Amino acid sequence: MTNLTAKVAQARLTRRQLAGGAAGLGAAAAIATVPSFGARQALAQASGGTLKLPLGASANVNLNPIGIGTLGAFYLQSCIYDGLVLSSPSWDDIEPGLAETWDTSEDGLTYTFHLRQGVKWHDGEPFTSADVIYTYQTILTKAIGSYMASTLFSVTGAEDFFNGTATDVSGLQAPDDNTVVFTLSEPNASFLFSILTQHSIIPAHVWKDMPVDEMTKPASWEKGQIGTGPFKFVEYQPDQFLKLDPNPDAWRGAPLLDGILFVMVGTTPDAYAAALEKGDLDYAGALPATEYERLSSIDTLTMYSKPVYNIRFLSVNVSKPYLADARVRQAIAYAIDRAGIVDAIISYGGEQTDNLTPSAKWRNENVTKYPFDPEKAKSLLAEAGWDPGQKLVVSLYYQDQAHADSIATVQQNLTDVGINAEVLQLDGSAVQDYYYNNAEFDVMLAGFGVSPDMDEFSRCFMSDAFWPAGQNAMKYVNPKVDELFLAGRQTVDEAARKTAYDEVQVILSDDLPWIPFYNLKLVAGMNTRIQNGDAIVTVWNRPYQWNIEKVSTSDGK
C-alpha cells in the first residue's frame, strides 16, 4: 500500500472508531410497503409535499431524452417520459410501459407491441404508434448524433436508414394506431432488456416539424417538455432550478407529491452532502463515501450504500502509439494498488474488481487478474520498450475528494514504476469533446452503467461502435471480440451466450482497453420526511424503474 493510501486508511479507521455502531442503521433501513392505489390517493390528500432534488450545472444538464450527445438526465427523464417497456425495480425482469403487452415470434425476429390505450401527452393529445415510429427514426437519424443509434442496428433497415441509403426503417412498422412491430435482421436476445428500456418516447406532433440542427441544440429542450410521465415540465432556469408539477392523468396513477423541485446547491458530491444535512435537499445520490458514517448518525437522514450495475474503470486510448502495446496496459494495471485504494479511500462507495461486469449471472471469475505488483509492471514496461520521458495524462471528471485522493495515488503508483504521469481534472462540460469527440485522452477514470445483460458491453468494445455510433472511445478493435459478441446476441440459448461472453471477458482481461477498478456502490441519503423513499433508491441509473409517483412527504411541505 502506498504512503498516501496508508494515511487515508488510518484516517478512515479513526472515523470508523468514532462512528461506532451508527453506520449500519441507515444501510439496514426496511423497504416500505407500497400502498394500494386507493390508499395512495388518500395519502396524497394528507401528505403531498414537494421533493427537492439536486440540479446539475447547466453545462452538464441535457434535457433531451433521446440521448443527443450525452447520456442525459435520467432521473429527470423518468419523471416526464415513459418507454415502451420498463425494467423491474430490481432489474431482473421487464415490465409493461407504454406497451401494455407484447408478443415475440418463435424465431425471435419479430416483436409486436400492443400499446396502452387512452394514454395522453401532457398537452392532451393522444399517444399513438406514430409517436413510437417518429422517436426511433429520430434516434436513427445520423445528424442527430444519438449515442443510442448503434444499439438499434439489429432492426431490419435501421443501419441503412442511419447511413442515408433508405428513407425509412423497413423493420419498424405501425399497422394501426395501437400496434408497433419491430422486425430484426437477426435474433437479439438482449433486445427488450438492454435496448428498449433505454428509450424515452417523444411526441411526434411537437417535434416533427423542427429542423435537425435546431433539435440538436440544448436550448430547444429547455423551454418546454411534453411527455406521458407522472410529472409535467413547468420551468427551467439554468443554474437555479427546474420545476415539475404532477400529472393527474398519468397512466401509472396520479403522483402523491405536489411537485418536484430540482435546485442548484452546488456541483460537487460534498455540496450535495452539505445541502442534504441542512435540509436544502430531500434526496441525493452519489454522495462522498467518506461522509457515509458521519451522515448515518444524523437522526433526520437515512443513508444507503447499495450495489449498482456500474463499473468504474481506467479507459485506455489504444489508438495512441505509446499505449498500443497490451504489455504497457498490463503494466499500468499491475502498477496501481487498486485494492488498497478502494479499501482505504473509496470504502462504502465500491468494491475492487478485475471483472468487466458486476452481474453475478454473467461474470467470469477465470479472467486474468492484476494484483498490485510494481516489479512486474517495471518488467513489462521494459519488454515493451517504454520511454520514461513519455508523458501519460490520467484524467477524471469526478470532482469529489475521494476520487481526487484516488487519482493522486494512481499517479504516484505510476511514477514509482517509471511512468511520467500527470493528472488532468476535467469539468463535466469538457468530457464530451475530450473523451468522445476528439479522443484526446490517454487514460481516463470513468464509469459505465450497464444493464445486467452482457450484450450491453458490445457498444463499448465492438469495432462498429466507435463514437458516435457507439461508446468505443478507446478505438479498440478485435475481430474475435466482435464475433463473440454477435454469437452471444444472436442466440437465446443462455448456456451458449454464457460461453461466448466468458471468452469475451478473458480476451478483454488480456487486452485491457479498460482496466477494471471497482464496482460502484450508490452512497445516497434521504430525509426521513420522505415516505416510501426506497422506491427511488434504485440499483441502476436509467429512467424507467424510478418509481417517483409512489413517493410522498410526511409533512406536506
Side-chain angles (χ1 to χ4, degrees):
M1 185 179 291
T2 65
N3 290 337
L4 175 58
T5 307
K7 289 177 182 177
V8 177
Q10 182 58 47
R12 181 162 302 286
L13 178 61
T14 302
R15 286 196 293 272
R16 285 177 177 158
Q17 290 169 334
L18 289 173
L25 297 177
I31 296 177
T33 302
V34 179
S36 66
F37 180 61
R40 284 170 50 201
Q41 287 181 310
L43 181 60
Q45 296 173 356
S47 56
T50 297
L51 182 70
K52 293 174 291 185
L53 301 171
L55 176 69
S58 59
N60 303 329
V61 173
N62 185 346
L63 303 182
N64 183 335
I66 58 172
I68 295 173
T70 178
L71 300 184
F74 286 127
Y75 290 163
L76 174 62
Q77 290 178 30
S78 68
C79 295
I80 300 176
Y81 296 96
D82 295 299
L84 278 178
V85 293
L86 320 178
S87 67
S88 65
S90 64
W91 271 89
D92 293 328
D93 206 351
I94 296 295
E95 295 180 354
L98 290 173
E100 193 165 25
T101 61
W102 56 89
D103 308 308
T104 307
S105 63
E106 288 188 9
D107 61 7
L109 294 177
T110 304
Y111 292 77
T112 302
F113 293 92
H114 308 284
L115 304 185
R116 194 177 296 274
Q117 298 185 41
V119 176
K120 293 186 181 298
W121 294 100
H122 292 159
D123 60 3
E125 291 295 314
F127 160 73
T128 72
S129 58
D131 299 306
V132 180
I133 300 296
Y134 172 76
T135 296
Y136 283 100
Q137 287 185 338
T138 302
I139 291 173
L140 284 164
T141 298
K142 183 178 285 189
I144 288 291
S146 174
Y147 79 95
M148 299 175 183
S150 67
T151 68
L152 294 165
F153 284 176
S154 59
V155 177
T156 301
E159 194 165 3
D160 290 337
F161 182 85
F162 180 80
N163 290 323
T165 58
T167 57
D168 61 8
V169 182
S170 58
L172 180 58
Q173 300 294 325
D176 57 56
D177 283 352
N178 302 311
T179 309
V180 174
V181 180
F182 287 82
T183 302
L184 308 186
S185 56
E186 56 196 15
N188 186 339
S190 70
F191 185 68
L192 280 171
F193 202 108
S194 286
I195 297 176
L196 294 190
T197 56
Q198 296 186 54
H199 305 139
S200 300
I201 304 302
I202 61 175
H205 71 277
V206 172
W207 297 103
K208 65 181 180 180
D209 294 326
M210 178 172 284
V212 167
D213 61 341
E214 288 296 317
M215 199 172 182
T216 58
K217 294 178 180 177
S220 296
W221 298 85
E222 293 177 0
K223 297 179 179 64
Q225 304 258 353
I226 300 294
T228 57
F231 286 86
K232 298 180 178 181
F233 182 96
V234 177
E235 183 181 3
Y236 173 53
Q237 291 293 332
D239 298 320
Q240 296 182 51
F241 68 88
L242 189 151
K243 187 176 187 297
L244 305 179
D245 280 351
N247 173 18
D249 300 318
W251 63 266
R252 284 189 264 175
L256 304 181
L257 289 166
D258 295 326
I260 299 175
L261 191 64
F262 290 82
V263 293
M264 171 61 76
V265 297
T267 59
T268 67
D270 291 309
Y272 293 166
L276 186 69
E277 185 174 359
K278 288 170 59 181
D280 293 337
L281 292 177
D282 292 316
Y283 172 73
L287 297 174
T290 52
E291 288 286 87
Y292 178 90
E293 290 174 344
R294 186 184 68 79
L295 294 174
S296 292
S297 67
I298 298 174
D299 291 341
T300 57
L301 297 179
T302 299
M303 293 298 295
Y304 303 83
S305 174
K306 188 173 183 178
V308 296
Y309 281 107
N310 188 300
I311 182 173
R312 294 287 163 87
F313 55 92
L314 293 165
S315 180
V316 185
N317 190 342
V318 300
S319 69
K320 297 288 184 76
Y322 46 90
L323 293 170
D325 191 322
R327 291 172 297 183
V328 171
R329 304 192 291 273
Q330 293 165 2
I332 291 172
Y334 279 120
I336 300 171
D337 185 10
R338 291 170 297 140
I341 292 170
V342 172
D343 180 62
I345 302 174
I346 303 300
S347 185
Y348 293 101
E351 183 176 41
Q352 193 268 323
T353 185
D354 280 294
N355 295 96
L356 190 65
T357 176
S359 170
K361 175 179 179 179
W362 297 110
R363 185 169 59 241
N364 180 6
E365 300 292 355
N366 298 314
V367 295
T368 304
K369 297 178 174 60
Y370 298 88
F372 181 46
D373 190 340
E375 295 307 313
K376 178 70 171 177
K378 292 176 184 177
S379 175
L380 284 168
L381 290 172
E383 289 178 22
W386 177 261
D387 176 6
Q390 173 62 56
K391 181 174 70 174
L392 184 74
V393 178
V394 183
S395 51
L396 77 162
Y397 50 85
Y398 305 111
Q399 298 182 5
D400 59 287
Q401 189 58 50
H403 279 98
D405 291 344
S406 297
I407 212 70
T409 306
V410 168
Q411 180 187 23
Q412 185 61 56
N413 288 161
L414 295 174
T415 301
D416 290 344
V417 299
I419 295 176
N420 179 20
E422 65 177 49
V423 171
L424 175 63
Q425 174 69 61
L426 293 167
D427 181 80
S429 61
V431 174
Q432 174 90 7
D433 284 338
Y434 184 78
Y435 185 72
Y436 284 118
N437 294 340
N438 303 328
E440 297 175 63
F441 72 101
D442 288 340
V443 175
M444 178 181 278
L445 176 61
F448 185 60
V450 294
S451 81
D453 196 287
M454 274 295 297
D455 182 69
E456 191 142 330
F457 287 97
S458 67
R459 75 173 198 255
C460 295
F461 298 109
M462 287 185 68
S463 57
D464 66 355
F466 282 15
W467 182 264
Q471 291 179 269
N472 186 348
M474 307 84 62
K475 304 295 190 291
Y476 174 73
V477 176
N478 186 317
K480 184 62 176 178
V481 167
D482 291 351
E483 175 188 323
L484 290 165
F485 269 122
L486 288 175
R489 178 186 301 165
Q490 293 172 5
T491 178
V492 295
D493 184 310
E494 292 218 344
R497 298 189 77 207
K498 172 68 172 167
T499 297
Y501 294 137
D502 277 354
E503 190 173 349
V504 163
Q505 291 173 72
V506 170
I507 294 171
L508 291 174
S509 72
D510 291 332
D511 284 356
L512 289 184
W514 283 7
I515 300 171
F517 206 145
Y518 64 93
N519 292 328
L520 183 69
K521 289 184 177 180
L522 176 69
V523 177
M526 184 175 298
N527 193 296
T528 54
R529 79 187 190 97
I530 304 304
Q531 304 296 296
N532 197 34
D534 291 75
I536 60 172
V537 184
T538 60
V539 300
W540 182 222
N541 62 348
R542 286 209 180 140
Y544 305 122
Q545 81 297 354
W546 213 51
N547 299 310
I548 189 66
E549 71 277 5
K550 298 176 182 177
V551 175
S552 64
T553 68
S554 61
D555 55 10
K557 298 179 181 178

